[in-house]
Amino acid sequence: MALLSLMLTAFVLVASLIYFYLKRRHRFWSNRGIPCAPDPHLFYGHVKGAISVAHGSYINQKLYNSLKQRNLSFGGYSFFTIPSIMVVDPEMVKTVMVRDFNVFHDRGIYNDPKSDPLSGHLFLLEGAPWRALRQKLTPTFTSGRMKSMFGTILEVAEEFRKFMVENHDRGTRELEMKDVLARFTTDVIGTCAFGLECNTLENPDSDFLKYGSKVFEQTPFQLAKFILASMFKEQAKKLGVKLTDVGVESFFMGITRETVEFREKNNVQRNDFMNLLLQIKNKGRLTDQPDEPGTMEKVEPGLTIEELAAQCFVFFVAGFETSSTTMNFCLYELAMNPDIQERLRNDIEKAIAANDGKLTYEIVMGMQYLDNVVNETLRKYPPVESLNRIPLTDYTIPGTDHVIPSQTMFLIPVYALHHDPEIYPDPERFDPDRFLPEVVATRHAYSYLPFGEGPRICIGLRFGVMQTKIGLITLLRSFRFKPTAATPNPLVFDPKSFVLSPIGGNHLRVDKI
């Protein structure tokens, strides 16, 4: 009996200590006189329901609205038990992402290239390693490089068109477009990143699609591991904590090694991303980059096989998922707005006819209305719903005496900014004319952030936009899309998906023109 009483007392003591510790964590901002969101949950803070009930875009939008209603340009909140800052004002977004980039150059997302090789990519790296890698990779994404890959993407798009025609001719009039589009972009990225024919359109069980999709799956265990690694970065690195799935790492490291060995042994040259990375690996820069005047050709530090694999990995997973997601949401909106669909189709046909029936890189990237439609899709459905930055040192919010400790997560709620009715009136309405040049000029430039902004803007945005536009042109020239009884209305985002993804997919009727 005495032992039971002692155990009960110990339990109450430990529970009380945990309770008061968590309450103190949630008072972090209010104790410093910094405005913050109200009523945090003891364990979940201000993100209760994440993964299990609501997508992060909805949770962050609710937080954004609560802070904006109080006329705040920023506010504190609890990401579970981690004190964080949400940026509300587009002008402050600009300050964080550009003006004070020297302080905010890191995302603050846990990575450890030593123990977790595939985390050593451009999106996650910090400080000097990020700067050095960005400088090496920037020349690989120029418009000239994209133009050289254009023909390769057109070939995959033609296979996609044939696949859609065959499905239609077999009597398939309704398709779940999210899956089909992911297979198309997997084939495109597999070809452009690895020079491999994935044949995912014919083989939906492709390992590329399987492991690429796995990256964006979230489970409570993965989230807990991510939070702990984020809170205790140094300890996590000492323990060799890996956030990349073991199967994902094994597949991408293996396919990279095989491709590199084959190309170097057989001197294979292709117009793709892998070819450019191999040049950087072996020489430290692209072979057609001019040497500095007055100096002899020099060999600069290149890439290790692990670093090369990490870049291929992020290019693949980011390129296939974000582009397929954008095309998926775009087709959904075009099906729900047939007048916009017809206007876009006519615009595409006129532009191609004016170029003697030829589809070229310049025509694809120069179609103004197509550009408006894609931009409006990215406005309403930004693939990455929020962006992170952390200050390198203690940071005083401009115009205030509020000091934010170094390494605090600053969250920029992209989805919420894109759905702010004061910035975009009637934000749930799909209206490509929001992106007419004269309308864009009336908005703050940092209220539209589908690719981020500043020195860490998405390096692959040109490729992503080109791939998306080629896919849409291919489909709209041959097919008309309509909603069915199974088409979700309204769309609800899957809380288990890192990117925006509709629950139940996107079922559309497909009629051949």
Side-chain angles (χ1 to χ4, degrees), residues 121 178 244 257 298:
H121 54 71
K178 179 178 180 295
T244 305
R257 283 197 175 95
K298 58 183 179 180

Side-chain angles (χ1 to χ4, degrees), residues 171-389:
T172 305
R173 296 291 187 272
E174 183 178 324
L175 281 174
E176 198 291 284
M177 294 306 300
K178 179 178 180 295
D179 172 66
V180 172
L181 290 164
R183 287 152 67 182
F184 163 62
T185 55
T186 296
D187 283 353
V188 170
I189 303 292
T191 301
C192 291
F194 295 93
L196 301 175
E197 293 184 9
C198 303
N199 296 318
T200 312
L201 286 168
E202 299 299 334
N203 175 25
D205 297 322
S206 152
D207 281 344
F208 271 99
L209 184 58
K210 171 186 172 183
Y211 289 112
S213 300
K214 196 173 183 65
V215 174
F216 295 96
E217 295 173 0
Q218 295 187 98
T219 66
F221 173 73
Q222 290 169 324
L223 181 61
K225 190 160 71 166
F226 169 77
I227 292 170
L228 289 171
S230 300
M231 290 177 67
F232 308 105
K233 289 181 183 177
E234 294 308 314
Q235 293 87 337
K237 287 183 179 181
K238 288 178 181 177
L239 292 171
V241 171
K242 299 177 66 158
L243 297 184
T244 305
D245 177 83
V246 174
V248 169
E249 179 185 312
S250 176
F251 174 73
F252 280 100
M253 286 299 300
I255 204 73
T256 301
R257 283 197 175 95
E258 289 174 18
T259 304
V260 168
E261 288 173 7
F262 178 80
R263 290 204 183 190
E264 292 189 334
K265 181 179 179 181
N266 297 280
N267 193 29
V268 176
Q269 300 293 320
R270 285 176 54 100
N271 287 324
D272 60 15
F273 186 57
M274 176 64 80
N275 193 60
L276 300 174
L277 286 179
L278 283 173
Q279 294 175 28
I280 298 172
K281 169 183 175 288
N282 296 320
K283 192 178 178 182
R285 58 187 175 85
L286 300 180
T287 55
D288 59 359
Q289 281 184 268
D291 293 318
E292 295 176 12
T295 64
M296 296 181 65
E297 184 175 338
K298 58 183 179 180
V299 177
E300 300 173 3
L303 299 173
T304 66
I305 190 67
E306 290 79 13
E307 289 171 332
L308 189 149
Q311 310 325 308
C312 282
F313 167 71
V314 75
F315 180 65
F316 179 85
V317 297
F320 106 82
E321 180 67 25
T322 57
S323 293
S324 66
T325 295
T326 301
M327 282 190 283
N328 182 45
F329 285 123
C330 187
L331 289 178
Y332 172 83
E333 289 291 350
L334 293 176
M336 303 301 279
N337 297 276
D339 54 331
I340 296 176
Q341 183 179 164
E342 290 305 316
R343 179 181 170 184
L344 176 57
R345 183 178 291 109
N346 292 335
D347 197 68
I348 289 169
E349 292 296 353
K350 285 179 183 177
I352 296 174
N355 195 47
D356 296 326
K358 297 176 183 176
L359 186 63
T360 63
Y361 176 80
E362 289 77 13
I363 293 296
V364 168
M365 302 307 281
M367 293 183 193
Q368 184 61 57
Y369 194 63
L370 175 60
D371 201 51
N372 294 353
V373 169
V374 171
N375 284 338
E376 175 67 347
T377 303
L378 290 167
R379 193 258 330 156
K380 197 172 177 186
Y381 308 100
V384 180
E385 63 88 17
S386 61
L387 302 169
N388 296 345
R389 294 290 187 273

Side-chain angles (χ1 to χ4, degrees), residues 428-443:
E428 296 308 315
R429 181 168 57 92
F430 187 79
D431 180 11
D433 288 344
R434 295 182 200 272
F435 289 89
L436 291 169
E438 60 271 23
V439 179
V440 172
T442 66
R443 291 193 296 266

Side-chain angles (χ1 to χ4, degrees), residues 11-282:
F11 173 78
V12 171
L13 178 61
V14 171
S16 298
L17 288 172
I18 292 173
Y19 173 82
F20 286 114
Y21 169 76
L22 294 176
K23 292 292 283 185
R24 187 166 65 86
R25 294 281 289 179
H26 293 315
R27 289 196 299 269
F28 184 89
W29 297 121
S30 58
N31 287 345
R32 287 161 173 76
I34 291 173
C36 54
D39 307 322
H41 185 277
L42 186 64
F43 298 106
Y44 303 109
H46 292 101
V47 295
K48 184 180 179 183
I51 291 186
S52 59
V53 178
H55 192 272
S57 57
Y58 301 135
I59 293 171
N60 288 328
Q61 184 181 30
K62 185 177 178 181
L63 268 172
Y64 172 93
N65 290 337
S66 72
L67 294 171
K68 184 159 186 180
Q69 286 167 5
R70 293 157 59 190
N71 295 316
L72 298 172
S73 60
F74 74 99
Y77 74 104
S78 294
F79 178 74
F80 292 90
T81 62
I82 303 174
S84 306
I85 292 288
M86 177 174 283
V87 181
V88 176
D89 177 32
E91 191 62 26
M92 188 171 170
V93 171
K94 182 177 182 179
T95 296
V96 169
M97 302 188 83
V98 179
R99 289 198 188 103
D100 290 336
F101 181 75
N102 61 315
V103 178
F104 288 98
H105 51 67
D106 296 339
R107 298 186 191 277
I109 303 174
Y110 175 80
N111 65 93
D112 181 16
K114 184 178 179 181
S115 300
D116 191 357
L118 292 186
S119 72
H121 54 71
L122 196 61
F123 186 82
L124 294 184
L125 285 178
E126 301 179 336
W130 170 78
R131 290 180 186 276
L133 187 59
R134 179 84 183 201
Q135 189 173 10
K136 289 176 183 175
L137 293 180
T138 295
T140 68
F141 287 96
T142 62
S143 57
R145 305 288 181 197
M146 298 304 99
K147 191 174 179 180
S148 70
M149 296 183 193
F150 181 78
T152 302
I153 300 176
L154 272 188
E155 290 174 8
V156 180
E158 175 58 20
E159 292 303 312
F160 184 30
R161 187 193 67 80
K162 291 177 181 176
F163 168 83
M164 293 288 288
V165 169
E166 289 168 6
N167 265 278
H168 188 277
D169 291 347
R170 286 198 298 265
T172 305
R173 296 291 187 272
E174 183 178 324
L175 281 174
E176 198 291 284
M177 294 306 300
K178 179 178 180 295
D179 172 66
V180 172
L181 290 164
R183 287 152 67 182
F184 163 62
T185 55
T186 296
D187 283 353
V188 170
I189 303 292
T191 301
C192 291
F194 295 93
L196 301 175
E197 293 184 9
C198 303
N199 296 318
T200 312
L201 286 168
E202 299 299 334
N203 175 25
D205 297 322
S206 152
D207 281 344
F208 271 99
L209 184 58
K210 171 186 172 183
Y211 289 112
S213 300
K214 196 173 183 65
V215 174
F216 295 96
E217 295 173 0
Q218 295 187 98
T219 66
F221 173 73
Q222 290 169 324
L223 181 61
K225 190 160 71 166
F226 169 77
I227 292 170
L228 289 171
S230 300
M231 290 177 67
F232 308 105
K233 289 181 183 177
E234 294 308 314
Q235 293 87 337
K237 287 183 179 181
K238 288 178 181 177
L239 292 171
V241 171
K242 299 177 66 158
L243 297 184
T244 305
D245 177 83
V246 174
V248 169
E249 179 185 312
S250 176
F251 174 73
F252 280 100
M253 286 299 300
I255 204 73
T256 301
R257 283 197 175 95
E258 289 174 18
T259 304
V260 168
E261 288 173 7
F262 178 80
R263 290 204 183 190
E264 292 189 334
K265 181 179 179 181
N266 297 280
N267 193 29
V268 176
Q269 300 293 320
R270 285 176 54 100
N271 287 324
D272 60 15
F273 186 57
M274 176 64 80
N275 193 60
L276 300 174
L277 286 179
L278 283 173
Q279 294 175 28
I280 298 172
K281 169 183 175 288
N282 296 320

Side-chain angles (χ1 to χ4, degrees), residues 411-478:
L411 184 134
I412 297 162
V414 176
Y415 180 88
L417 281 164
H418 287 190
H419 288 75
D420 186 331
E422 292 184 10
I423 302 172
Y424 298 96
D426 192 8
E428 296 308 315
R429 181 168 57 92
F430 187 79
D431 180 11
D433 288 344
R434 295 182 200 272
F435 289 89
L436 291 169
E438 60 271 23
V439 179
V440 172
T442 66
R443 291 193 296 266
H444 196 291
Y446 287 76
S447 62
Y448 181 67
L449 303 162
F451 300 104
E453 262 299 347
R456 282 199 89 137
I457 192 170
C458 174
I459 195 172
L461 74 88
R462 279 194 186 97
F463 183 92
V465 170
M466 175 176 68
Q467 177 184 212
T468 297
K469 289 181 175 180
I470 291 174
L472 290 171
I473 290 169
T474 300
L475 291 173
L476 291 170
R477 294 191 74 194
S478 298

